[in-house]
Amino acid sequence: MAITGIIAEFNPFHNGHKHLLNQAKGLKVIAMSGNFTQRGEPALVDKWTRAQLALENGADLVVELPFLVSVQSADYFAQGAITILEKVGIDCLTFGTETLLDYQNLSAIYRKEGLLMESFLQDLPKDLSYPQKAQFMWEHFAGIDFSGNTPNHILGLSYAKACAGKSISLHAIKRIGAAFHSEEKEERIASATAIRKHITDQVFIRQSMPNADLVLNSPQVTWENYMELLKYHLVINPDLTNIFQVNDELASRICRAAKNVTNVEELVDLVATKRYTKARIRRILTYILVGAKESPLPESLHVLGFSPRGQAHLAHIKDKVKLVTRIGKEAWDPITQQADQIYQLGRKEIAEQNWGRSPIRFSV
């Protein structure tokens, strides 16, 4: 049986995600972000609720991406997620994209020309952002043109790089419905952005996502739930450069801008530049919020949930991979668990995220 991997945030799970799962073949394994996402934002609802939604809509196994994989730029996000899915034994990666291309061929190009491509990146002007540099690199070596308005496609290119030289086939699915960041409610398949923005419109939410009550009845958070806590960290931390990926320039810009803002988006707007994208600034603010330091990634896999087929697969790989199915006195990944404790502070109704939690067992 084919083992298909899907890398996801499901923030939140919607009809487009259900379509993607329906297109995947065989045993479906999800490597899912935890309580903070790749763009540097707290997830709308917690990781257990999102894992439950995935299992109820076709997933067989959900494993968690550690914090320092989840909250990373596209290349590091992809590389970390593929490393985890390799341990699970996938032979295919399925993903949605705005632009259908031969990603397998692009992966082969990177396998052959990777050193030259990375050298090309390093020689580009330093005032360019990394996404801009990556765009020039792929245009030069593969003749493809794209813009920053195709985030799924950009991730697809990162998956192609991460899978170079590996026995993983790439299966791209055309993304359907609203544009990635569209806030419109007219589309049958609305974007996750629109769902988060209009979460109080229950009619819209129920038509935009399956099993909507799971989200509607769960504690919901946004960055604003953590703004005062972020300010507290900025006050008590005299040297932000001890935080993951914060340099002197960013530390100075963030501390200066924070004195004149009332919300996170204002802070991001003031700190972002051509070189430092808004997504990167949100990630940096998330690192500050969580107190993230550079640390090794866990070797073990944290299992959030499984179907009967997923449970059978876990039994098949348990002698090859260290699995964590219940977090007790011994930490799985200290920085992820620290991030989860911070996440819980956003709403008092948010349940314990780690201690004593067991995987969700889903059966039809």
Side-chain angles (χ1 to χ4, degrees):
M1 179 173 59
I3 304 174
T4 295
I6 293 174
I7 302 167
E9 293 180 335
F10 296 153
N11 185 35
F13 191 96
H14 56 64
N15 291 336
H17 297 135
K18 185 174 178 65
H19 171 73
L20 180 65
L21 272 169
N22 288 341
Q23 297 298 306
K25 308 296 183 183
L27 185 85
K28 302 168 188 180
V29 181
I30 313 299
M32 192 188 76
S33 297
N35 285 322
F36 291 90
T37 67
Q38 196 254 336
R39 294 180 66 248
E41 297 176 342
L44 177 69
V45 293
D46 73 87
K47 61 189 179 184
W48 298 98
T49 303
R50 286 154 39 234
Q52 178 79 36
L53 281 161
L55 291 165
E56 291 191 6
N57 288 280
D60 290 302
L61 176 60
V62 183
V63 296
E64 182 176 3
L65 296 178
F67 177 85
L68 287 181
V69 172
S70 293
V71 189
Q72 283 277 20
S73 59
D75 281 354
Y76 290 104
F77 176 82
Q79 185 179 39
I82 292 298
T83 298
I84 288 169
L85 288 172
E86 263 197 303
K87 292 178 180 180
V88 181
I90 70 163
D91 46 41
C92 174
L93 181 74
T94 293
F95 56 95
T97 178
E98 299 90 350
T99 308
L100 284 181
L101 296 174
D102 187 346
Y103 288 92
Q104 204 72 50
N105 181 56
L106 296 175
S107 185
I109 290 173
Y110 188 79
R111 180 185 182 186
K112 181 180 179 181
E113 306 285 356
L115 291 177
L116 285 175
M117 293 171 80
E118 294 303 323
S119 177
F120 178 86
L121 271 180
Q122 296 301 317
D123 291 338
L124 288 171
K126 296 191 182 302
D127 62 338
L128 295 177
S129 67
Y130 184 81
Q132 290 171 321
K133 292 180 180 180
Q135 179 175 345
F136 287 131
M137 180 191 76
W138 284 108
E139 287 176 354
H140 182 81
F141 285 90
I144 60 173
D145 186 16
F146 62 95
S147 73
N149 294 322
T150 55
N152 290 114
H153 172 51
I154 293 170
L155 270 176
L157 294 172
S158 293
Y159 297 152
K161 289 174 64 176
C163 289
K166 302 182 185 300
S167 299
I168 299 174
S169 62
L170 299 171
H171 181 209
I173 302 295
K174 177 68 174 178
R175 192 178 187 279
I176 59 176
F180 187 80
H181 294 307
S182 171
E183 297 182 357
E184 297 300 319
K185 296 196 289 184
E186 284 76 14
E187 296 280 359
R188 183 183 67 85
I189 298 183
S191 72
T193 301
I195 292 172
R196 293 193 299 271
K197 180 178 177 61
H198 302 291
I199 192 63
T200 58
D201 185 342
Q202 293 197 12
V203 173
F204 168 65
I205 298 303
R206 292 181 192 283
Q207 71 185 21
S208 299
M209 57 186 301
N211 312 82
D213 284 342
L214 269 175
V215 169
L216 291 173
N217 295 329
S218 296
Q220 300 151 18
V221 293
T222 70
W223 241 121
E224 300 318 309
N225 293 81
Y226 303 91
M227 183 62 184
E228 293 306 310
L229 185 56
L230 175 63
K231 286 185 174 181
Y232 171 76
H233 280 292
L234 293 176
V235 168
I236 68 167
N237 198 334
D239 183 11
L240 290 179
T241 61
N242 62 23
I243 300 295
F244 185 60
Q245 291 191 359
V246 179
N247 58 30
D248 287 329
E249 180 185 0
L250 282 172
S252 175
R253 291 182 64 83
I254 290 169
C255 289
R256 187 168 59 249
K259 298 174 182 177
N260 303 304
V261 300
T262 59
N263 60 61
V264 170
E265 283 309 305
E266 289 179 359
L267 180 55
V268 170
D269 286 341
L270 284 176
V271 177
T273 65
K274 184 177 180 181
R275 180 182 179 188
Y276 298 118
T277 65
K278 290 185 178 183
R280 182 174 178 183
I281 299 305
R282 287 191 192 93
R283 286 193 291 269
I284 294 292
L285 296 179
T286 303
Y287 301 150
I288 295 170
L289 175 70
V290 168
K293 308 290 177 64
E294 187 165 6
S295 59
L297 296 175
E299 290 295 323
S300 54
L301 303 182
H302 185 210
V303 180
L304 293 175
F306 47 73
S307 70
R309 288 204 310 177
Q311 186 175 19
H313 184 66
L314 287 175
H316 178 69
I317 67 172
K318 68 179 181 179
D319 294 331
K320 304 173 186 176
V321 182
K322 184 178 179 182
L323 302 171
V324 174
T325 55
R326 187 180 177 88
I327 295 174
K329 290 183 179 179
E330 184 178 345
W332 164 60
D333 179 38
I335 186 60
T336 300
Q337 291 171 231
Q338 183 170 303
D340 286 340
Q341 289 180 292
I342 298 296
Y343 182 81
Q344 284 178 247
L345 297 177
R347 289 279 299 273
K348 66 180 186 325
E349 299 90 349
I350 296 175
E352 167 63 42
Q353 292 296 290
N354 289 297
W355 183 265
R357 295 290 294 258
S358 297
I360 298 164
R361 297 169 181 262
F362 177 76
S363 58
V364 180

